[in-house]
Amino acid sequence: MPGTITPATDFSADKDCQELRNAMKGLGTNEAKIINILGNRSREQRLQIALVFKTMYGKDLLMEFKSELSANFLRLCKCLLFSIPQYLAKELKRAMKGSGTDERALVEILVGLDNRGIAEVKHIYKSMFEAELEREIVSETSGDFKRLALSLLQGNRDENDVVDKEVAKEDALELFNAGINRFGTDESKFNSILCARSYRHLKMVFAEYKMVAGEDIEKSIRSEMSGELELGFLSIIKRIKNTPTYFAEELYKSMKGLGTDDDQLIRIIVWRSEIDLVEIKGAFESLYAKPLRDFIKEDTSGDFKTLLLTILK
């Protein structure tokens, strides 16, 4: 699935570093130059720029940005200088910092990564913060949601493409009997199936479930669960059904109503920019009859808006 950002042709880290240095030298800052470079280089190229900048000038590019830029524009520029595992590890740390936990960020990251991605983030988290991600999630969450988060964090989902229709039927029936076909809900059954089975298998389970239950599994989840547990299971289901649509809906939620969830907006645009942002843009327009670009134009401002739109293409 294509992203909006691809490696720049005729790339020269030395030249880009000189441009960035000039953009921040003396009085005032040339934000347009910074936007043009960061918004049109691949992640690998940006990481190379950060390394070469320190080699050429003996200064950390991140620290230079901190002294020259501010607010959301600074936050976005900083995010663009990390590898994906580093950035998502920092986002998980932020989600659990202070009073209260940002469950939406926690779920979005754990649901959006495959087994390898989860393993990388756990490893990077430990090296960056000298702490075990699992231990921190245990201390910041509770109840059935904690069990769901820990199940996802194991990164042990079956990634086999082989699907057995009979097993899918059995799983669908087990979910039906654990939910709307009984008094009370057996959340552990939903947990064991939705967190362990392969995506391809679960797509068949969802189809079988509709035949058994007479309704879509999303509707059943909404009637049987609430709060962060409902959020978690619905996120898994939506991500499995259609990944670009899932992220398009999350982007819409980040901008709808009063105020913008800038953390979520930045996270999705930066994370998915080289993965599937082209499809996310298409899904967004199909869902909301308005281009994602127009929503971002209305909800953001200044250099922050310009850099987001540059990444979006």
Side-chain angles (χ1 to χ4, degrees):
M1 291 186 277
T4 54
I5 289 187
T6 53
T9 54
D10 301 323
F11 169 67
S12 167
D14 285 23
K15 185 182 174 187
D16 283 345
C17 287
Q18 289 166 12
E19 290 281 317
L20 288 169
R21 172 77 167 147
N22 292 335
M24 294 183 284
K25 200 164 65 174
L27 289 172
T29 304
N30 188 334
E31 288 86 357
K33 275 189 179 179
I34 295 171
I35 290 167
N36 184 51
I37 291 172
L38 294 188
N40 292 293
R41 303 293 183 270
S42 68
R43 184 167 305 280
E44 192 176 317
Q45 288 173 337
R46 293 194 301 268
L47 293 175
Q48 195 177 338
I49 287 167
L51 177 64
V52 171
F53 191 92
K54 189 177 277 189
T55 305
M56 289 175 71
Y57 304 111
K59 291 184 175 183
D60 190 313
L61 183 56
L62 200 61
M63 298 309 292
E64 291 294 287
F65 283 164
K66 283 182 180 178
S67 68
E68 296 290 330
L69 313 176
S70 62
N72 282 334
F73 180 51
L74 169 60
R75 288 167 68 193
L76 179 53
C77 288
K78 283 163 58 182
C79 294
L80 292 168
L81 293 184
F82 292 108
S83 69
I84 287 294
Q86 286 174 327
Y87 173 52
L88 294 181
K90 285 176 74 68
E91 274 295 282
L92 286 167
K93 186 69 172 176
R94 181 199 60 76
M96 295 183 285
K97 200 174 177 182
S99 60
T101 302
D102 183 349
E103 287 92 357
R104 186 171 290 281
L106 205 62
V107 165
E108 187 184 284
I109 293 167
L110 294 179
V111 164
L113 291 167
D114 59 12
N115 291 348
R116 181 181 173 185
I118 288 171
E120 287 174 343
V121 168
K122 284 160 70 175
H123 175 73
I124 290 289
Y125 192 97
K126 187 174 183 179
S127 65
M128 288 178 82
F129 304 113
E130 296 182 347
E132 294 286 350
L133 178 56
E134 183 168 320
R135 191 171 294 173
E136 301 220 324
I137 285 178
V138 166
S139 70
E140 293 294 329
T141 58
S142 61
D144 290 319
F145 179 72
K146 175 167 72 175
R147 286 185 277 278
L148 171 61
L150 289 182
S151 292
L152 290 170
L153 191 62
Q154 300 319 299
N156 194 34
R157 184 181 294 282
D158 180 10
E159 293 182 338
N160 193 330
D161 279 342
V162 178
V163 175
D164 186 323
K165 190 168 184 178
E166 290 308 309
V167 177
K169 282 182 179 179
E170 288 170 16
D171 282 349
L173 189 58
E174 285 202 43
L175 291 173
F176 176 61
N177 289 329
I180 62 172
N181 197 38
R182 60 171 277 171
F183 181 74
T185 308
D186 181 0
E187 290 87 356
S188 65
K189 184 55 66 178
F190 281 84
N191 210 72
S192 65
I193 292 174
L194 295 180
C195 295
R197 300 286 197 256
S198 74
Y199 284 179
R200 184 168 287 191
H201 174 83
L202 285 170
K203 281 183 180 180
M204 186 173 285
V205 171
F206 300 156
E208 293 293 335
Y209 182 90
K210 195 167 188 178
M211 287 191 275
V212 172
E215 65 181 36
D216 191 274
I217 191 166
E218 287 182 43
K219 185 179 179 182
S220 297
I221 294 286
R222 289 190 178 96
S223 67
E224 292 292 309
M225 298 174 195
S226 60
E228 61 262 25
L229 189 64
E230 177 189 352
L231 166 70
F233 283 129
L234 283 178
S235 296
I236 294 170
I237 293 163
K238 287 170 179 284
R239 157 82 159 102
I240 290 167
K241 282 183 174 180
N242 190 308
T243 299
T245 296
Y246 165 66
F247 281 110
E249 288 179 355
E250 291 303 304
L251 277 170
Y252 177 74
K253 287 169 192 167
S254 76
M255 294 181 283
K256 75 171 184 178
L258 290 171
T260 304
D261 184 341
D262 297 308
D263 289 312
Q264 187 177 29
L265 177 60
I266 291 169
R267 183 172 59 250
I268 297 173
I269 297 294
V270 169
W271 179 12
R272 312 307 293 190
S273 62
E274 293 181 47
I275 302 171
D276 54 3
L277 193 50
V278 170
E279 280 90 350
I280 291 169
K281 284 165 61 179
F284 191 97
E285 190 161 358
S286 296
L287 284 168
Y288 306 110
K290 188 175 179 180
L292 174 57
R293 188 177 194 84
D294 290 354
F295 265 83
I296 288 175
K297 276 182 183 176
E298 291 169 10
D299 252 65
T300 60
S301 61
D303 297 314
F304 176 54
K305 174 176 76 175
T306 306
L307 183 48
L308 280 173
L309 294 177
T310 303
I311 296 168
L312 203 61
K313 300 290 182 264

